[in-house]
Amino acid sequence: MNAPESNGADPSSGPTASSPHQPIDLPWTTVEHYLGRGLGASYRLSATDKPFVSYEIADGGRGIALHVEIGGRHRAPRSPLPAVHIDQVAQGGRRMARLTTPEPELLRDFHDLLLAVADRIVVDGQELDRAFDETVHGWSALLGKPRGMSPQKRIGLHGELAVLARVAQVSGWRAALDSWVGPIGEEHDFALGQADLEVKTTASEPRRHTIHGVGQLSETSGRPLWFASLRLTRGGAGGRRLGDSIKATRDAAAAENIALGRRLDWLLAAAGWDPDQLEDERWTPRDSPLVLRATDMPRLTAEDLPAGSIGRIDHVTYIVDVTGLPPAEQSPVIDLSELTLP
């Protein structure tokens, strides 16, 4: 396998040459090195006498792709998966099928999928359509019963921990843990003094967030509800893994009182955290959170439903985009500017 073509980055580790008996080896840490620094790179995975197959890392940390040469009358196969797109591009005078994902939270898992497809092409000599179909079929059978937290939930927990640590800086860990009510089934994530706070975190460029239910952005008992939109980006070697942030948070809580460390463990388990779940994605805040009053943003509440529908509509999930909305002039909850991951 050829060395990467890039704009100057020097990752600590890289892929090794493939052979008919050796699977492709492109560690995620290498890919993350480029993504975290916003650098592009191209790894040729196929031998020089074989149809061109390459792993592409886009400039600006915008994502990853697999390029597979298609010749003759062949067309790029269609993807049955909404999280995997396949289209056709030109590269170096060749017709190439390009596999990408529109979901930045899934890049780590998508990386493994791309290598599995490439391995079937480069090592086993399969055509792209068969390699893709076999990989999707195998993964679907294996993951019929998902285990652990989804990538979106891990991103969300990371954001909540950042807010939790900020609350602890102001009020101490006992009060901070008292305020973190989302894991115990309350409608909103934090109950802070005289106001509530809902925290949403995304790894995408737009501030698009999934809202679960008509009550998630509704004020309760006359308490003001505030909404914090957090954006994370790939941090490379300088970023924080969720496990790192959890350990730092627990150590800080236990340093105040050992019982608080145990209480945090219980809250993390209630939130869905599995300490045995493997994860090696590193994140860093893209910018300061956008804080809004819930009443000043697009939302659905029970009052927006047609008359007579309460109790008959069982579940509502929608996506709200708050990109470009002006922040609240003053938040009565807590200052989240310059927020860092624990």
Side-chain angles (χ1 to χ4, degrees):
M1 184 184 308
N2 293 342
E5 299 175 1
S6 71
N7 55 1
D10 183 20
S12 58
S13 61
T16 59
S18 61
S19 72
H21 305 290
Q22 183 179 0
I24 293 170
D25 179 22
L26 176 54
W28 171 251
T29 52
T30 300
V31 177
E32 192 176 42
H33 174 93
Y34 285 98
L35 291 173
R37 287 161 177 75
L39 303 176
S42 177
Y43 288 92
R44 177 163 184 166
L45 306 179
S46 56
T48 55
D49 59 342
K50 298 294 183 180
F52 197 88
V53 179
S54 67
Y55 185 108
E56 304 292 327
I57 306 172
D59 286 325
R62 292 180 289 109
I64 58 179
L66 183 70
H67 287 191
V68 180
E69 184 176 1
I70 50 179
R73 297 182 179 179
H74 288 86
R75 294 182 178 180
R78 292 185 177 181
S79 170
L81 307 175
V84 179
H85 290 178
I86 304 179
D87 60 358
Q88 183 175 307
V89 296
Q91 179 183 9
R94 302 180 177 93
R95 291 175 56 239
M96 310 289 286
R98 177 177 62 181
L99 283 69
T100 59
T101 181
E103 305 292 342
E105 295 92 345
L106 300 178
L107 281 188
R108 175 64 180 89
D109 303 284
F110 186 59
H111 164 80
D112 291 339
L113 176 74
L114 293 185
L115 292 192
V117 173
D119 192 75
R120 283 183 162 91
I121 297 172
V122 175
V123 179
D124 297 339
Q126 296 182 5
E127 296 291 336
L128 171 60
D129 54 356
R130 179 183 173 189
F132 181 70
D133 287 345
E134 286 191 4
T135 302
V136 171
H137 178 78
W139 281 35
S140 297
L142 181 64
L143 301 177
K145 295 182 178 180
R147 175 180 178 274
M149 302 180 74
S150 68
Q152 293 87 347
K153 287 187 176 181
R154 293 199 298 268
I155 290 285
L157 179 57
H158 220 156
E160 289 182 41
L161 286 176
V163 174
L164 179 67
R166 177 60 60 86
V167 176
Q169 290 176 355
V170 175
S171 305
W173 278 102
R174 186 178 301 279
L177 295 179
D178 286 343
S179 73
W180 193 27
V181 295
I184 61 175
E186 295 296 328
E187 194 75 65
H188 305 125
D189 294 320
F190 290 87
L192 301 168
Q194 302 302 312
D196 296 328
L197 174 67
E198 185 66 29
V199 178
K200 292 292 183 179
T201 308
T202 182
S204 65
E205 183 75 23
R207 293 185 181 273
R208 290 167 53 86
H209 304 285
T210 300
I211 308 301
H212 302 281
V214 294
Q216 195 166 46
L217 294 182
S218 298
E219 297 185 345
T220 57
S221 304
R223 291 169 57 85
L225 174 63
W226 293 81
F227 181 88
S229 168
L230 280 62
R231 295 195 298 179
L232 303 184
T233 188
R234 303 282 168 176
R240 300 286 288 172
R241 292 175 297 193
L242 177 57
D244 297 332
S245 289
I246 285 177
K247 183 180 184 305
T249 303
R250 191 190 187 283
D251 289 348
E256 181 173 313
N257 187 308
I258 190 65
L260 296 179
R262 292 193 293 268
R263 184 178 175 194
L264 178 59
D265 288 338
W266 182 87
L267 287 169
L268 289 168
W273 168 248
D274 179 0
D276 295 326
Q277 182 175 355
L278 297 177
E279 52 86 27
D280 57 1
E281 298 170 286
R282 296 176 181 271
W283 302 97
T284 190
R286 184 187 296 268
D287 49 21
S288 289
L290 171 66
V291 179
L292 305 166
R293 179 76 181 266
T295 52
D296 295 332
M297 60 181 287
R299 61 176 183 155
L300 291 177
T301 67
E303 289 73 22
D304 298 315
L305 298 179
S309 61
I310 302 298
R312 295 184 179 275
I313 295 180
D314 184 59
H315 184 72
V316 175
T317 299
Y318 62 98
I319 296 175
V320 61
D321 189 338
V322 296
T323 307
L325 291 183
E329 295 184 1
Q330 184 176 3
S331 169
V333 280
I334 190 169
D335 181 13
L336 298 181
S337 61
E338 306 300 327
L339 194 70
T340 60
L341 299 179

